[in-house]
C-alpha cells in the first residue's frame, strides 16, 4: 500500500514518522502517560543516538534510562524500548503489532492509522488518535464532495 497520511492541524508526531513503523512504536512508548511536549524532544534525542531497531535493541539499558529519566517510568520504558526493538526485528508482528513487547492498543491503532492507512477500521480510544481519525473522515468526505461536483 502506498499511503501518505494527510497533514492535520494537530501536527502529531506520527504524521512525521509514518513511513517507519518502528519509530511510530517508539513514539507511542514515549507518549504513553506523558505529554507530547515533554516526550517529543527526548524522542528525537533517542532516535539520533539509536536510529533504528537494531541499534536500540543493543542499547545499554543504563544509558537509555539516563537519557529518558525526565519522562518518568524510565526503567519500565527503557526495558520496553529495548525488548520491543528486538521483537520488531525477530518476530512476525505485522498482522498483530500487539505481539511486540510494550505495544498495546494505542500503538497498534497508531500503526494501523499512520503506517497502513487502515484508519476506517480503527476505533481508537486515545484522544489524539480520535481527533486525527475524525480529521481524516472530514478530509476524505470533502475530497469526495469535490469529485462529485
Amino acid at each position: 500500500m502506498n499511503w501518505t497520511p494527510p497533514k492535520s492541524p494537530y501536527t502529531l508526531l506520527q504524521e512525521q514518522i509514518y513511513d517507519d513503523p518502528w519509530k511510530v512504536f517508539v513514539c507511542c512508548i514515549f507518549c504513553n502517560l506523558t505529554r507530547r511536549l515533554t516526550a517529543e524532544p527526548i524522542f528525537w534525542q533517542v532516535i539520533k543516538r539509536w536510529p533504528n531497531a537494531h541499534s536500540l535493541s543493543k542499547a545499554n539499558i543504563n544509558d537509555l534510562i539516563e537519557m529518558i529519566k525526565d519522562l518518568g517510568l524510565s526503567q519500565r520504558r527503557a526495558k520496553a524500548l529495548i525488548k520491543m526493538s528486538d521483537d520488531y526485528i525477530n518476530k512476525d508482528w505485522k498482522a498483530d503489532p500487539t505481539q511486540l513487547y510494550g505495544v498495546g492498543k494505542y500503538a497498534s491503532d497508531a500503526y494501523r492509522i499512520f503506517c497502513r492507512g487502515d484508519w476506517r477500521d480503527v476505533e481508537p480510544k486515545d484522544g489524539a488518535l480520535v481527533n486525527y481519525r475524525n480529521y481524516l473522515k472530514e478530509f476524505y468526505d470533502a475530497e469526495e464532495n469535490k469529485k462529485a461536483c
Side-chain angles (χ1 to χ4, degrees), residues 76-106:
R76 188 172 107 191
R77 286 184 212 261
K79 177 183 176 186
L81 289 163
I82 290 169
K83 182 130 178 57
M84 181 279 295
S85 296
D86 185 69
D87 286 353
Y88 184 89
I89 296 164
N90 294 307
K91 284 190 172 182
D92 182 15
W93 57 266
K94 287 189 170 96
D96 181 11
T98 62
Q99 292 180 29
L100 300 172
Y101 188 89
V103 170
K105 179 171 174 45
Y106 166 56

Side-chain angles (χ1 to χ4, degrees), residues 5-144:
K7 300 295 183 200
S8 77
Y10 304 109
T11 62
L12 300 179
L13 186 53
Q14 292 94 329
E15 293 176 60
Q16 298 173 49
I17 58 174
Y18 69 91
D19 60 342
D20 188 338
W22 172 76
K23 286 181 184 173
V24 170
F25 297 136
V26 171
C27 167
C28 290
I29 290 171
F30 274 69
C31 291
N32 192 22
L33 302 175
T34 305
R35 292 184 36 191
R36 176 191 169 184
L37 294 176
T38 304
E40 187 171 350
I42 298 170
F43 166 82
W44 289 116
Q45 289 172 6
V46 167
I47 293 301
K48 184 175 181 181
R49 177 137 182 217
W50 298 286
N52 54 50
H54 185 266
S55 60
L56 190 55
S57 73
K58 305 293 184 205
N60 177 293
I61 194 164
N62 293 320
D63 291 346
L64 184 54
I65 288 169
E66 180 62 27
M67 186 174 275
I68 67 174
K69 68 183 177 193
D70 291 343
L71 291 177
L73 307 169
S74 57
Q75 290 181 359
R76 188 172 107 191
R77 286 184 212 261
K79 177 183 176 186
L81 289 163
I82 290 169
K83 182 130 178 57
M84 181 279 295
S85 296
D86 185 69
D87 286 353
Y88 184 89
I89 296 164
N90 294 307
K91 284 190 172 182
D92 182 15
W93 57 266
K94 287 189 170 96
D96 181 11
T98 62
Q99 292 180 29
L100 300 172
Y101 188 89
V103 170
K105 179 171 174 45
Y106 166 56
S108 177
D109 288 350
Y111 166 74
R112 292 179 62 208
I113 292 169
F114 292 97
C115 302
R116 296 193 42 99
D118 295 337
W119 60 272
R120 289 177 182 89
D121 301 324
V122 177
E123 293 292 334
K125 302 250 185 277
D126 174 77
L129 294 183
V130 168
N131 289 341
Y132 187 77
R133 186 172 184 273
N134 290 340
Y135 167 78
L136 289 175
K137 284 180 185 179
E138 292 173 17
F139 178 85
Y140 285 107
D141 284 349
E143 291 293 309
E144 288 299 315

